Amino acid sequence: QTPGMFQIPEQGLRLHDALALAGGYLPSADPSQAKFTRAGSDTTVVDLRRIAEDINDPANLRLVDGDAILVPVAVPLTVAVLGQVNEPGVKTLNRDKVTRLSDAVGMAGGVTAVGDPSAASLLRADGTILKVALDRVLSGQQGAADLALASGDTLFIPDLPDYTVLGTVQAPGRHTLMPGTRISTAIAASGGLSGDPRRAEASIIRQ
């Protein structure tokens, strides 16, 4: 809150005392990554949250003249949720809470009606690509597959596959292959038959 230089009193000063003199850290700070520098020594990372919880923590050092403490601004932790979700984009993670696949989908407004969660993939920040059974995660059938996410991860939910109806139907064309689609459903989605149904023959061509 009030950065600056402070006098070390005769009784001494420890890290948590110095933080109190400075008015505490701002909400935008990352106290877990505070940098402590002592003349003639390497800079070390200090988790000020541990010190706040326990002033007897060994990291709560007694300060000497010339010591410096830098509390950095927190770098946002983010994941991207892309593809067939209602609100695709980059989402900010709560650094004090584990965010899982199901949480990320919820942050993105859920899967769209034409999304295929069974074919979802997770691109880890290190370049690893994982296939995830997101449909089973969201239905609660496979809780163990509800992986914890890390900053830099990208979750992608593709479109459902499609099919094409051609020939003697009212509206030939391409349609989304919804779960449970049957031949009768496909014909109905194409406006029905345009010829005599008693003479109609159908062929299914699968790739």
Side-chain angles (χ1 to χ4, degrees):
Q1 299 281 356
T2 54
M5 299 181 66
F6 302 93
Q7 295 288 332
I8 298 178
E10 291 184 4
Q11 67 269 26
L13 198 68
R14 299 175 76 181
L15 268 175
H16 81 283
D17 301 316
L19 184 62
L21 287 174
Y25 44 80
L26 295 169
S28 59
D30 183 2
S32 68
Q33 296 296 312
K35 307 294 192 299
F36 174 76
T37 303
R38 176 162 288 174
S41 301
D42 293 335
T43 298
T44 57
V45 176
V46 178
D47 189 346
L48 296 178
R49 299 173 304 177
R50 288 175 46 193
I51 295 173
E53 294 171 358
D54 180 11
I55 62 173
N56 294 316
D57 190 287
N60 192 20
L61 301 173
R62 186 170 294 277
L63 303 179
V64 299
D65 186 47
D67 285 349
I69 307 163
L70 172 65
V71 183
V73 174
V75 177
L77 304 179
T78 60
V79 296
V81 186
L82 305 177
Q84 287 297 338
V85 288
N86 290 300
E87 299 173 15
V90 177
K91 310 301 176 183
T92 301
L93 304 180
N94 183 342
R95 64 178 60 247
D96 296 322
K97 175 181 176 293
V98 175
T99 300
R100 300 189 176 276
L101 288 169
S102 57
D103 299 318
V105 173
M107 294 163 67
V111 179
T112 68
V114 294
D116 187 2
S118 68
S121 57
L122 176 64
L123 172 62
R124 291 292 198 183
D126 63 3
T128 303
I129 300 177
L130 303 174
K131 293 295 183 182
V132 292
L134 193 58
D135 55 330
R136 298 181 66 82
V137 169
L138 297 177
S139 65
Q141 298 178 49
Q142 200 167 337
D146 198 5
L147 302 176
L149 300 178
S151 185
D153 287 349
T154 299
L155 176 62
F156 178 73
I157 301 171
D159 295 359
L160 283 165
D162 55 30
Y163 63 94
T164 302
V165 181
L166 301 174
T168 55
V169 290
Q170 299 290 345
R174 181 170 295 179
H175 306 275
T176 299
L177 183 61
M178 304 299 289
T181 297
R182 296 182 178 274
I183 293 176
S184 58
T185 312
I187 293 173
S190 302
L193 298 172
S194 60
D196 186 347
R198 294 173 297 178
R199 296 183 178 180
E201 294 183 0
S203 298
I204 298 177
I205 301 174
R206 284 192 169 145
Q207 296 180 346

